[in-house]
Amino acid sequence: MMFKHIAFAGLGLIGGSLALSFAERGVKLSAYDLNTDTLAKAVKTGLFEYATDDIDELLSLDFDLLYICLPVRSACEFITELGRRKFTKPVTDASSTKADVAGAAKQAGITFCGGHPIAGKEVSGFTNAEAGLFKGAYHILTPLSPEFDTQALRELHEAAGMKVTIMEPEQHDRTFGLVSHLPHITAFAMVQTVSAVDIDALNYTGAGFKDFSRIAASDPRMWTDIFLENDKNMIDLIDSYIAEMERWKNAIQNSDEKAMYQMIEHAAELRRRLS
Ligand SMILES: O=C(O)C(=O)C[C@]1(C(=O)O)C=C[C@@H](O)C=C1
């Protein structure tokens, strides 16, 4: 089965970019968003059959996949609402955490397969959406309902140039806690540290600080939801990070040249291997 008409619930940066990329492959689009400015912008592109801020109208449309692209706690609430309405069409999402979303979908009894496109930007909103945002990026699928046509969802994303991988929701949350959520915390914390110690130093930043801190400009609603939903992993991972910072502090306190050299050499070698 191919998905021919996809309805997006939430048309921000992620929903907008996915929608634009599917439109390039001839998929029919509809959109639901509570922000009427966003809907007006979507209508202006001429790519959307329907654009509405009314959930009843959305659910009455003739689409064959509902794609939820809301901040993760709103996504869970939306899923619960679909369960209340005994919604039966296939539903997927683009949330950055997967265990909680899978729990909400199971509870709601909907036909669901979780998803997470691994790309983004530090800016948000439909105006910043780009058809090419996810080209070459991973798309993680966390299947839930046996009746969901996971192969069709895989093909939809592969056609958009994405690399599709299947994971268990818990494995997903641990992995992306480590390589996405923890780096965001360290970026937020680093900018905060500079501002607390000497805010004027921000006037003199070079490329190193700017590269490292780009993601500190990310959307507060999205990231607060992620940390609330992935809390147990984050507490563990922050402890690991603190232990690593302690190693650095000790090495510097003890003028341990060998330890510092080896820590940098090891990190540099791993970083160079990233494609
Ligand atoms: O590039 C960025 O701005 C991102 O934050 C993208 C990023 C990431 O951490 O890599 C962030 C959250 C999404 O769930 C997936 C990708």
PDB file of all heavy atoms in Angstrom, residues 96 116-122 180 184 214-215 222-223, ligand 1:
ATOM      1  N   SER A  96      10.540  13.167  19.281  1.00  0.00           N
ATOM      2  CA  SER A  96      11.935  12.821  19.576  1.00  0.00           C
ATOM      3  C   SER A  96      12.087  11.784  20.673  1.00  0.00           C
ATOM      4  O   SER A  96      13.187  11.324  20.935  1.00  0.00           O
ATOM      5  CB  SER A  96      12.697  14.084  19.991  1.00  0.00           C
ATOM      6  OG  SER A  96      12.596  15.042  18.988  1.00  0.00           O
ATOM      7  N   HIS A 116      10.803   8.777  14.011  1.00  0.00           N
ATOM      8  CA  HIS A 116      11.623   9.916  14.447  1.00  0.00           C
ATOM      9  C   HIS A 116      12.638  10.273  13.359  1.00  0.00           C
ATOM     10  O   HIS A 116      13.608   9.537  13.160  1.00  0.00           O
ATOM     11  CB  HIS A 116      12.344   9.556  15.764  1.00  0.00           C
ATOM     12  CG  HIS A 116      13.168  10.672  16.311  1.00  0.00           C
ATOM     13  ND1 HIS A 116      14.119  10.476  17.282  1.00  0.00           N
ATOM     14  CD2 HIS A 116      13.206  12.012  16.022  1.00  0.00           C
ATOM     15  CE1 HIS A 116      14.692  11.635  17.566  1.00  0.00           C
ATOM     16  NE2 HIS A 116      14.159  12.580  16.824  1.00  0.00           N
ATOM     17  N   PRO A 117      12.419  11.376  12.656  1.00  0.00           N
ATOM     18  CA  PRO A 117      13.401  11.814  11.662  1.00  0.00           C
ATOM     19  C   PRO A 117      14.569  12.501  12.361  1.00  0.00           C
ATOM     20  O   PRO A 117      14.359  13.393  13.185  1.00  0.00           O
ATOM     21  CB  PRO A 117      12.612  12.808  10.794  1.00  0.00           C
ATOM     22  CG  PRO A 117      11.495  13.292  11.661  1.00  0.00           C
ATOM     23  CD  PRO A 117      11.269  12.280  12.751  1.00  0.00           C
ATOM     24  N   ILE A 118      15.806  12.059  12.037  1.00  0.00           N
ATOM     25  CA  ILE A 118      16.963  12.574  12.785  1.00  0.00           C
ATOM     26  C   ILE A 118      17.611  13.743  12.047  1.00  0.00           C
ATOM     27  O   ILE A 118      18.713  13.642  11.484  1.00  0.00           O
ATOM     28  CB  ILE A 118      17.985  11.448  13.056  1.00  0.00           C
ATOM     29  CG1 ILE A 118      17.271  10.224  13.649  1.00  0.00           C
ATOM     30  CG2 ILE A 118      19.083  11.932  14.012  1.00  0.00           C
ATOM     31  CD1 ILE A 118      16.529  10.468  14.948  1.00  0.00           C
ATOM     32  N   ALA A 119      16.903  14.826  12.021  1.00  0.00           N
ATOM     33  CA  ALA A 119      17.457  16.085  11.511  1.00  0.00           C
ATOM     34  C   ALA A 119      16.598  17.198  12.082  1.00  0.00           C
ATOM     35  O   ALA A 119      15.491  16.951  12.564  1.00  0.00           O
ATOM     36  CB  ALA A 119      17.429  16.121   9.988  1.00  0.00           C
ATOM     37  N   GLY A 120      17.095  18.384  12.035  1.00  0.00           N
ATOM     38  CA  GLY A 120      16.336  19.510  12.566  1.00  0.00           C
ATOM     39  C   GLY A 120      17.145  20.773  12.381  1.00  0.00           C
ATOM     40  O   GLY A 120      18.172  20.766  11.685  1.00  0.00           O
ATOM     41  N   LYS A 121      16.664  21.829  12.996  1.00  0.00           N
ATOM     42  CA  LYS A 121      17.380  23.100  12.969  1.00  0.00           C
ATOM     43  C   LYS A 121      17.114  23.758  14.311  1.00  0.00           C
ATOM     44  O   LYS A 121      16.151  23.395  15.005  1.00  0.00           O
ATOM     45  CB  LYS A 121      16.793  24.024  11.891  1.00  0.00           C
ATOM     46  CG  LYS A 121      16.998  23.608  10.466  1.00  0.00           C
ATOM     47  CD  LYS A 121      16.678  24.812   9.568  1.00  0.00           C
ATOM     48  CE  LYS A 121      15.884  24.446   8.359  1.00  0.00           C
ATOM     49  NZ  LYS A 121      15.543  25.595   7.520  1.00  0.00           N
ATOM     50  N   GLU A 122      17.903  24.761  14.630  1.00  0.00           N
ATOM     51  CA  GLU A 122      17.697  25.463  15.899  1.00  0.00           C
ATOM     52  C   GLU A 122      16.553  26.473  15.782  1.00  0.00           C
ATOM     53  O   GLU A 122      16.129  27.034  16.787  1.00  0.00           O
ATOM     54  CB  GLU A 122      19.007  26.125  16.369  1.00  0.00           C
ATOM     55  CG  GLU A 122      19.498  27.306  15.561  1.00  0.00           C
ATOM     56  CD  GLU A 122      20.186  26.911  14.240  1.00  0.00           C
ATOM     57  OE1 GLU A 122      20.107  25.741  13.832  1.00  0.00           O
ATOM     58  OE2 GLU A 122      20.784  27.812  13.613  1.00  0.00           O
ATOM     59  N   SER A 180      21.539  12.961  21.199  1.00  0.00           N
ATOM     60  CA  SER A 180      20.783  14.162  20.828  1.00  0.00           C
ATOM     61  C   SER A 180      20.361  14.974  22.060  1.00  0.00           C
ATOM     62  O   SER A 180      20.609  16.175  22.124  1.00  0.00           O
ATOM     63  CB  SER A 180      19.541  13.747  20.015  1.00  0.00           C
ATOM     64  OG  SER A 180      18.737  14.859  19.724  1.00  0.00           O
ATOM     65  N   HIS A 184      22.125  18.556  23.713  1.00  0.00           N
ATOM     66  CA  HIS A 184      21.330  19.785  23.865  1.00  0.00           C
ATOM     67  C   HIS A 184      21.463  20.321  25.287  1.00  0.00           C
ATOM     68  O   HIS A 184      21.631  21.522  25.488  1.00  0.00           O
ATOM     69  CB  HIS A 184      19.865  19.547  23.487  1.00  0.00           C
ATOM     70  CG  HIS A 184      19.633  19.627  22.002  1.00  0.00           C
ATOM     71  ND1 HIS A 184      19.992  18.618  21.138  1.00  0.00           N
ATOM     72  CD2 HIS A 184      19.129  20.612  21.224  1.00  0.00           C
ATOM     73  CE1 HIS A 184      19.700  18.975  19.892  1.00  0.00           C
ATOM     74  NE2 HIS A 184      19.174  20.180  19.921  1.00  0.00           N
ATOM     75  N   ARG A 214      25.282  26.144  18.708  1.00  0.00           N
ATOM     76  CA  ARG A 214      24.172  26.394  17.759  1.00  0.00           C
ATOM     77  C   ARG A 214      22.843  25.878  18.309  1.00  0.00           C
ATOM     78  O   ARG A 214      21.838  26.581  18.320  1.00  0.00           O
ATOM     79  CB  ARG A 214      24.475  25.732  16.401  1.00  0.00           C
ATOM     80  CG  ARG A 214      23.332  25.904  15.385  1.00  0.00           C
ATOM     81  CD  ARG A 214      23.592  25.167  14.079  1.00  0.00           C
ATOM     82  NE  ARG A 214      23.618  23.733  14.190  1.00  0.00           N
ATOM     83  CZ  ARG A 214      22.536  22.940  14.253  1.00  0.00           C
ATOM     84  NH1 ARG A 214      21.330  23.476  14.202  1.00  0.00           N
ATOM     85  NH2 ARG A 214      22.661  21.641  14.375  1.00  0.00           N
ATOM     86  N   ILE A 215      22.852  24.644  18.817  1.00  0.00           N
ATOM     87  CA  ILE A 215      21.587  24.030  19.242  1.00  0.00           C
ATOM     88  C   ILE A 215      21.044  24.620  20.551  1.00  0.00           C
ATOM     89  O   ILE A 215      19.899  24.328  20.912  1.00  0.00           O
ATOM     90  CB  ILE A 215      21.715  22.492  19.333  1.00  0.00           C
ATOM     91  CG1 ILE A 215      22.897  22.075  20.219  1.00  0.00           C
ATOM     92  CG2 ILE A 215      21.833  21.878  17.943  1.00  0.00           C
ATOM     93  CD1 ILE A 215      23.015  20.561  20.413  1.00  0.00           C
ATOM     94  N   MET A 222       9.591  22.404  22.732  1.00  0.00           N
ATOM     95  CA  MET A 222       9.969  21.078  22.244  1.00  0.00           C
ATOM     96  C   MET A 222      10.932  20.389  23.208  1.00  0.00           C
ATOM     97  O   MET A 222      10.738  19.234  23.589  1.00  0.00           O
ATOM     98  CB  MET A 222      10.621  21.220  20.859  1.00  0.00           C
ATOM     99  CG  MET A 222      11.319  19.976  20.374  1.00  0.00           C
ATOM    100  SD  MET A 222      11.921  20.176  18.681  1.00  0.00           S
ATOM    101  CE  MET A 222      13.030  18.762  18.578  1.00  0.00           C
ATOM    102  N   TRP A 223      11.948  21.133  23.670  1.00  0.00           N
ATOM    103  CA  TRP A 223      12.999  20.487  24.469  1.00  0.00           C
ATOM    104  C   TRP A 223      12.579  20.226  25.905  1.00  0.00           C
ATOM    105  O   TRP A 223      12.980  19.238  26.508  1.00  0.00           O
ATOM    106  CB  TRP A 223      14.319  21.259  24.344  1.00  0.00           C
ATOM    107  CG  TRP A 223      14.890  20.931  23.002  1.00  0.00           C
ATOM    108  CD1 TRP A 223      14.761  21.666  21.847  1.00  0.00           C
ATOM    109  CD2 TRP A 223      15.567  19.716  22.628  1.00  0.00           C
ATOM    110  NE1 TRP A 223      15.332  20.989  20.793  1.00  0.00           N
ATOM    111  CE2 TRP A 223      15.835  19.797  21.246  1.00  0.00           C
ATOM    112  CE3 TRP A 223      15.966  18.579  23.317  1.00  0.00           C
ATOM    113  CZ2 TRP A 223      16.492  18.780  20.548  1.00  0.00           C
ATOM    114  CZ3 TRP A 223      16.623  17.560  22.632  1.00  0.00           C
ATOM    115  CH2 TRP A 223      16.885  17.668  21.271  1.00  0.00           C
TER     116      TRP A 223
HETATM  117  O1  LIG B   1      20.314  19.977  14.145  1.00  0.00           O
HETATM  118  C1  LIG B   1      19.571  20.329  15.044  1.00  0.00           C
HETATM  119  O2  LIG B   1      19.315  21.504  15.280  1.00  0.00           O
HETATM  120  C2  LIG B   1      18.932  19.307  15.887  1.00  0.00           C
HETATM  121  O3  LIG B   1      18.763  19.552  17.019  1.00  0.00           O
HETATM  122  C3  LIG B   1      18.484  18.031  15.298  1.00  0.00           C
HETATM  123  C4  LIG B   1      18.248  16.866  16.231  1.00  0.00           C
HETATM  124  C5  LIG B   1      19.609  16.375  16.764  1.00  0.00           C
HETATM  125  O4  LIG B   1      19.823  16.384  17.971  1.00  0.00           O
HETATM  126  O5  LIG B   1      20.441  15.990  15.943  1.00  0.00           O
HETATM  127  C6  LIG B   1      17.383  17.263  17.347  1.00  0.00           C
HETATM  128  C7  LIG B   1      16.191  16.708  17.613  1.00  0.00           C
HETATM  129  C8  LIG B   1      15.501  15.816  16.677  1.00  0.00           C
HETATM  130  O6  LIG B   1      14.736  14.924  17.382  1.00  0.00           O
HETATM  131  C9  LIG B   1      16.438  15.216  15.749  1.00  0.00           C
HETATM  132  C10 LIG B   1      17.603  15.801  15.452  1.00  0.00           C
END
